[in-house]
């Protein structure tokens, strides 16, 4: 389609709306505005027009403004509540110092459409050029109540500081990345983004959800909003909860039951491990005979573990490492005297065990030596000595409850 033909025939342009769904109420909380152009009796997406670098930004602004006015008018006419998500790149926003968009929104505010219902989506790629100017403009918009979303978050980790500086209301995560990245790598990205969102008070919106796996991933990783063809395709009408392709409430209920079942299985394992250690606790004869005690422990955890040792409450290892090589447990006496208190949560976990008198299962982490993803089961032998049993990945792999 010829860009000039599109701009010259604005009457052939109509907005379509892709619903944004809430994880809290499972209903539609807003719509992302997309454009369609009627070409030879067929409605064509305007995506190519907006992403074409050769199309003048002024053309794109004119079309976007037209779509925005139609969209707000539709929402007012249908008495629809919720947010309106609009896409703008940095170059478009910078035209006339962003006043065109602001004037339009102020005009519709007088007609009853509050400005805090507008969510401006900018992509993380826009941070590469003129970030300071873009940041100042978006901060200015925020003073009017306009919300800001960063799209394609995580594409460039170097932009984390800039995202923190901007403090957007929403971080949009493309679930297609789940399939593009290896699962462990994307888990690390998600962990970083979740922590960032918590620090700056931003909500996570997972977009491009196309199947049940991606929806479950979004739910499990703290997504407050969902969007994608699996839920609802863009439509000329402002769809409601009853128009969604799936019953989200039923889906989430199944996720909850599955998660509760896995957590219950994991707690049962931890309880069984505690009982194993308690059964041989009578054989503990103090730190001078610690290696003899661990030798008893290896027989109890031969299937689960590949390494175990004992530390005191200050984090100093008072035993040898017991490491399993194939089917045999071998001693590594040179590890005695190592101090592990520098590890995050080590001292906190030790104090929790000391206070509660119970074992603790760590989160999943990457082992420094093996590079495998593992967990550690820890148990207080006394109020000053603590047993650490590292679980091997092959055992965890066969017990799904240990992988969540």
């Amino acid at each position: 389609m010829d860009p000039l033909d599109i701009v010259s025939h604005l009457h052939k342009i109509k907005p379509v709306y892709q619903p944004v769904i809430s994880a809290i109420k499972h209903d539609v909380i807003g719509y992302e505005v997309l454009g369609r152009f009627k070409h030879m009796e067929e409605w064509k997406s305007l995506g190519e027009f907006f992403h074409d670098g050769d199309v003048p930004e002024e053309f794109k602004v004119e079309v976007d403004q037209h779509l925005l006015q139609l969209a707000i008018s539709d929402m007012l006419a249908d008495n629809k509540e919720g947010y309106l998500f609009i896409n703008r790149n940095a170059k478009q926003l910078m035209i006339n110092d962003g006043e065109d968009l602001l004037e339009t929104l102020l005009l519709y505010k007088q007609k009853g459409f509050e400005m805090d219902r507008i969510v401006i989506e900018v992509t993380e790629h826009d941070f590469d050029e003129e970030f300071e100017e873009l940041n100042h403009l978006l901060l200015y918009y925020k003073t009017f109540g306009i919300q800001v979303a960063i799209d394609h978050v995580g594409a460039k980790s170097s932009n984390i500081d800039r995202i923190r500086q901007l403090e957007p209301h929403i971080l949009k995560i493309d679930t297609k990345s789940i399939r593009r990245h290896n699962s462990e790598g994307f888990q690390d990205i998600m962990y970083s983004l979740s922590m960032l969102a918590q620090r700056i008070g931003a909500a996570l919106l997972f977009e491009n959800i196309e199947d049940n796996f991606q929806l479950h991933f979004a739910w499990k990783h703290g997504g407050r909003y969902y969007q994608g063809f699996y839920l609802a395709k863009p439509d000329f009408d402002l769809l409601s909860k009853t128009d969604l392709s799936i019953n989200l409430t039923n889906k989430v209920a199944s996720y909850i039951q599955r998660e509760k079942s896995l957590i219950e299985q994991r707690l049962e394992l931890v309880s069984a491990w505690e009982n194993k250690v308690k059964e041989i606790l009578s054989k503990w004869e103090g730190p001078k005979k610690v290696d003899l005690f661990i030798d008893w422990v290896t027989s109890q955890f031969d299937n689960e573990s590949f390494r175990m040792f004992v530390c005191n409450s200050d984090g100093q290892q008072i035993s040898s490492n017991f490491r399993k090589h194939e089917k045999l447990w071998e001693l590594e006496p040179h590890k005695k005297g190592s101090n592990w208190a520098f590890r995050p949560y080590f001292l906190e976990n030790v104090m929790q065990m000391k206070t509660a008198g119970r074992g603790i299962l760590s989160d999943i982490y990457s082992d420094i030596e093996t590079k495998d993803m593992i967990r550690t089961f820890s148990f207080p032998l006394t109020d000053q000595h603590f047993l650490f049993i590292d679980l091997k990945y092959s055992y965890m792999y066969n017990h799904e409850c240990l992988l969540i």
Side-chain angles (χ1 to χ4, degrees), residues 152-167:
H152 298 120
V153 172
K156 295 189 177 182
S157 59
S158 59
N159 285 328
I160 293 294
D161 286 342
R162 289 179 169 180
I163 293 174
R164 283 177 59 90
Q165 184 178 341
L166 181 59
E167 293 187 351

Side-chain angles (χ1 to χ4, degrees), residues 232-246:
K233 295 180 180 180
D235 198 284
F236 287 113
D237 294 323
L238 294 160
L239 303 180
S240 61
K241 180 178 181 178
T242 56
D243 299 312
L244 299 182
S245 303
I246 62 169

Side-chain angles (χ1 to χ4, degrees), residues 19-251:
V20 176
I21 318 301
S22 165
I24 299 173
K25 294 290 188 178
H26 304 162
D27 56 1
V28 177
I29 56 89
Y31 306 88
E32 180 175 359
V33 181
L34 305 169
R36 296 290 185 266
F37 180 76
K38 194 169 186 180
H39 179 67
M40 297 179 67
E41 303 306 315
E42 184 179 355
W43 289 99
K44 299 277 190 177
S45 169
L46 286 172
E48 185 177 335
F49 168 82
F50 284 116
H51 292 109
D52 189 342
D54 294 329
V55 176
E57 297 301 328
E58 289 78 7
F59 283 16
K60 297 176 184 177
V61 169
E62 187 174 355
V63 173
D64 263 333
Q65 287 288 92
H66 180 70
L67 286 169
L68 176 61
Q69 293 174 30
L70 292 177
I72 296 178
S73 297
D74 283 350
M75 292 194 76
L76 289 173
D78 289 1
N79 199 27
K80 284 286 185 180
E81 300 294 329
Y83 301 107
L84 203 57
F85 292 72
I86 60 175
N87 295 280
R88 296 290 187 276
N89 66 37
K91 292 180 179 178
Q92 288 174 276
L93 288 173
M94 294 301 178
I95 293 176
N96 294 332
D97 297 323
E99 289 297 326
D100 293 347
L101 174 59
L102 190 57
E103 288 177 4
T104 299
L105 296 179
L106 287 169
L107 175 64
Y108 278 96
K109 180 182 179 181
Q110 297 174 7
K111 298 180 180 181
F113 195 91
E114 296 299 326
M115 296 176 75
D116 59 5
R117 296 175 61 186
I118 293 292
V119 182
I120 298 177
E121 294 186 26
V122 295
T123 67
E124 190 178 343
H125 304 298
D126 286 335
F127 293 171
D128 293 337
E129 300 178 9
E130 302 178 337
F131 172 74
E132 290 303 323
E133 291 83 353
L134 177 62
N135 184 37
H136 287 313
L137 178 59
L138 292 177
L139 289 175
Y140 177 57
Y141 281 161
K142 287 167 72 174
T143 65
F144 289 89
I146 298 171
Q147 301 201 44
V148 175
I150 307 299
D151 202 0
H152 298 120
V153 172
K156 295 189 177 182
S157 59
S158 59
N159 285 328
I160 293 294
D161 286 342
R162 289 179 169 180
I163 293 174
R164 283 177 59 90
Q165 184 178 341
L166 181 59
E167 293 187 351
H169 302 85
I170 296 172
L171 301 180
K172 292 193 73 173
I173 299 169
D174 189 347
T175 54
K176 289 180 180 177
S177 300
I178 301 172
R179 304 205 186 279
R180 284 200 299 266
H181 295 77
N182 65 74
S183 59
E184 292 177 4
F186 195 67
Q187 289 286 349
D188 293 339
I189 294 173
M190 277 309 310
Y191 178 79
S192 298
L193 293 177
S194 295
M195 291 298 295
L196 174 63
Q198 290 180 32
R199 291 288 180 86
I200 64 177
L204 296 179
L205 189 162
F206 286 81
E207 62 179 340
N208 292 320
I209 295 174
E210 297 179 351
D211 54 37
N212 183 62
F213 171 77
Q214 291 174 330
L215 178 61
H216 181 244
F217 184 95
W219 174 83
K220 188 175 178 179
H221 288 82
R224 184 170 181 178
Y225 304 122
Y226 312 133
Q227 188 180 16
F229 283 14
Y230 186 59
L231 297 154
K233 295 180 180 180
D235 198 284
F236 287 113
D237 294 323
L238 294 160
L239 303 180
S240 61
K241 180 178 181 178
T242 56
D243 299 312
L244 299 182
S245 303
I246 62 169
N247 187 316
L248 184 57
T249 300
N250 289 345
K251 285 287 183 183

Side-chain angles (χ1 to χ4, degrees), residues 315-358:
Q316 186 174 35
Q317 186 168 329
I318 63 171
S319 74
S320 303
N321 260 11
F322 276 66
R323 182 187 289 273
K324 191 174 185 181
H325 291 282
E326 295 183 356
K327 295 184 178 181
L328 297 177
W329 287 92
E330 298 179 1
L331 272 71
E332 297 176 338
H334 65 281
K335 292 292 186 179
K336 188 179 295 186
S338 302
N339 193 292
W340 305 107
F342 72 92
R343 286 181 167 173
Y345 309 113
F346 183 94
L347 293 177
E348 182 176 344
N349 287 346
V350 162
M351 295 309 294
Q352 285 186 14
M353 285 189 285
K354 182 177 179 178
T355 302
R358 299 195 60 181

Side-chain angles (χ1 to χ4, degrees), residues 270-361:
V270 172
S271 179
W273 296 336
E274 286 184 326
N275 291 332
K276 279 187 178 185
V277 177
K278 289 176 181 177
E279 287 175 3
I280 58 173
L281 200 54
S282 61
K283 300 185 181 297
W284 170 258
E285 297 183 52
K288 291 184 178 180
K289 296 184 178 181
V290 61
D291 284 0
L292 287 176
F293 175 75
I294 297 180
D295 197 38
W296 283 98
V297 180
T298 59
S299 64
Q300 297 295 312
F301 290 87
D302 192 58
N303 292 327
E304 295 95 333
S305 177
F306 74 97
R307 182 176 60 209
M308 55 185 72
F309 53 94
V310 171
C311 289
N312 64 22
S313 60
D314 293 330
Q316 186 174 35
Q317 186 168 329
I318 63 171
S319 74
S320 303
N321 260 11
F322 276 66
R323 182 187 289 273
K324 191 174 185 181
H325 291 282
E326 295 183 356
K327 295 184 178 181
L328 297 177
W329 287 92
E330 298 179 1
L331 272 71
E332 297 176 338
H334 65 281
K335 292 292 186 179
K336 188 179 295 186
S338 302
N339 193 292
W340 305 107
F342 72 92
R343 286 181 167 173
Y345 309 113
F346 183 94
L347 293 177
E348 182 176 344
N349 287 346
V350 162
M351 295 309 294
Q352 285 186 14
M353 285 189 285
K354 182 177 179 178
T355 302
R358 299 195 60 181
I360 286 179
L361 181 64

